[in-house]
Amino acid sequence: MASMIEIELKKLRNIWNFLPPKPDFIIVGEMHGSQQNAPLIEKFAQALLTQAPHITIAFEWTISDTEFDVIRNYIHEGTVPEKLPIFFLDSDGRVTCEHFDLLKWIRSYNMEHDGSIDICAFDTSLDNGDSEQMLANALLSSKARNPGALFLVETGNMHARNVVYTSNDEECVPMAAILKETNSVFSVFVKYLAGKVLVEGTP
């Protein structure tokens, strides 16, 4: 008998039935540290690639341009990195062991499909700044460099909200809402039925 997770993932095969025509950004809002996040991104990518010839998977990673270039080179049939970015080893849950398997899968897919998947990192300030506008600007810059690609974005669920909301009597404009001002945005939120995650070492 198929598990509930397997049944839910099968629904991704029909994701194009739910998307707006020619979406620019599909944003997956998750809880950092869950081991299910990276496998889910892979399933999303597989479903999207049935009709999109090229996609860019965007990660909320804080790494330097030099570090990122090494990772990007790897997924485009380059050499295995000799040294991992420090962020990969202490990432507050935004990178898990499963993300290494995801990068391996992207590399394998690209070898068979002429580099159909690109990646980008959109929290590269290295100054602990995480303003919604900064995150949105980084994604918009990446989109401008690759306008024909569909962007699949993995990010925290607060950034994935595509409407303005109020918190403690203060108006909050999330990253996805900023992107929605000029682009077609579709946000998906991962629902966790049970379990634990570690965020910066705290359950």
Side-chain angles (χ1 to χ4, degrees):
M1 178 180 292
S3 69
M4 182 177 294
I5 291 176
E6 290 171 336
I7 293 171
E8 292 297 319
L9 288 178
K10 286 180 180 178
K11 294 180 180 178
L12 289 179
R13 297 175 184 172
N14 300 319
I15 189 173
W16 287 100
N17 295 334
F18 304 98
L19 297 177
K22 296 182 179 180
D24 297 304
F25 295 96
I26 297 175
I27 302 178
V28 180
E30 41 87 335
M31 181 182 293
H32 299 331
S34 170
Q35 65 182 167
Q36 285 79 22
N37 291 338
L40 182 61
I41 292 298
E42 179 180 331
K43 295 295 184 181
F44 263 106
Q46 291 173 348
L48 294 173
L49 286 163
T50 61
Q51 295 191 43
H54 298 282
I55 68 171
T56 295
I57 302 179
F59 298 100
E60 191 188 338
W61 292 347
T62 307
I63 61 178
S64 69
D65 291 341
T66 300
E67 291 172 324
F68 176 74
D69 287 344
V70 172
I71 303 301
R72 185 172 183 270
N73 180 62
Y74 166 73
I75 64 110
H76 287 293
E77 303 185 42
T79 57
V80 176
E82 295 182 1
K83 185 178 180 180
L84 291 175
I86 295 297
F87 180 73
F88 276 30
L89 306 175
D90 185 20
S91 70
D92 69 13
R94 283 180 276 171
V95 177
T96 63
C97 293
E98 290 74 23
H99 280 87
F100 295 106
D101 291 333
L102 174 59
L103 290 172
K104 290 178 182 177
W105 173 78
I106 293 172
R107 174 185 169 89
S108 177
Y109 189 94
N110 279 340
M111 293 175 70
E112 297 179 4
H113 298 86
D114 195 27
S116 295
I117 304 175
D118 203 357
I119 62 173
C120 75
F122 62 96
D123 187 8
T124 57
S125 65
L126 299 178
D127 61 1
N128 296 320
D130 61 350
S131 73
E132 304 298 318
Q133 186 67 59
M134 181 200 72
L135 297 175
N137 288 346
L139 281 172
L140 291 171
S141 295
S142 293
K143 180 68 172 174
R145 291 191 296 269
N146 197 357
L150 168 61
F151 274 62
L152 174 62
V153 183
E154 181 190 8
T155 190
N157 49 33
M158 298 300 291
H159 304 309
R161 295 188 183 191
N162 59 22
V163 294
V164 178
Y165 66 95
T166 301
S167 177
N168 296 325
D169 296 325
E170 183 176 344
E171 184 180 82
C172 300
V173 185
M175 176 194 77
I178 297 171
L179 294 174
K180 193 176 178 181
E181 294 174 359
T182 55
N183 292 269
S184 175
V185 173
F186 186 84
S187 291
V188 178
F189 296 89
V190 183
K191 181 179 180 181
Y192 305 88
L193 301 181
K196 292 182 179 179
V197 295
L198 291 178
V199 180
E200 297 182 351
T202 302

